[in-house]
């Protein structure tokens, strides 16, 4: 919701600890951890951040491995959204 409202700083503040905690508790290859990193990539893309490309390049292979190559979220990520 914060991302759609273009409240990117607040979104960053919420996502950073979420990603850290998911990866610490569940592991980096858990579906929730991967989805949290994908949300960060989407948010970076929405605000035209130069880090968006590197975030997508990092998360898409994980999504393919964890969720499956043909999973709808993986397909959305591969198309850039």
């Amino acid at each position: 919701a914060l991302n759609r409202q273009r409240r990117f700083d607040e979104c960053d503040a919420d996502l950073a600890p979420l990603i850290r905690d998911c990866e610490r508790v569940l592991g980096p290859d858990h579906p929730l951890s991967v989805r949290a990193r994908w949300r960060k990539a989407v948010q970076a893309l929405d605000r035209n951040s130069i880090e968006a490309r590197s975030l997508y390049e990092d998360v898409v292979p994980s999504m393919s491995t964890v969720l499956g190559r043909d999973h709808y979220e993986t397909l959305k990520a591969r198309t850039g959204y």
Side-chain angles (χ1 to χ4, degrees):
L2 293 173
N3 200 39
R4 280 183 238 138
Q5 296 171 6
R6 310 201 63 75
R7 295 164 56 186
F8 299 122
D9 291 337
E10 292 173 65
C11 190
D12 278 343
D14 288 347
L15 278 174
L18 174 69
I19 292 168
R20 184 187 64 239
D21 291 347
C22 281
E23 290 182 345
R24 180 177 52 82
V25 174
L26 304 171
D29 293 329
H30 190 278
L32 293 177
S33 299
V34 173
R35 286 181 176 111
R37 290 196 327 266
W38 177 48
R39 289 304 316 155
K40 183 174 179 161
V42 168
Q43 187 246 341
L45 184 67
D46 284 348
R47 69 175 179 190
N48 297 317
S49 171
I50 62 171
E51 77 172 328
R53 182 180 180 138
S54 65
L55 290 170
Y56 267 96
E57 288 173 351
D58 174 58
V59 77
V60 171
S62 295
M63 292 179 82
S64 293
T65 300
V66 173
L67 302 176
R69 205 176 121 232
D70 295 326
H71 189 276
Y72 77 97
E73 288 175 327
T74 303
L75 295 172
K76 283 172 55 174
R78 278 197 273 159
T79 60
Y81 210 91

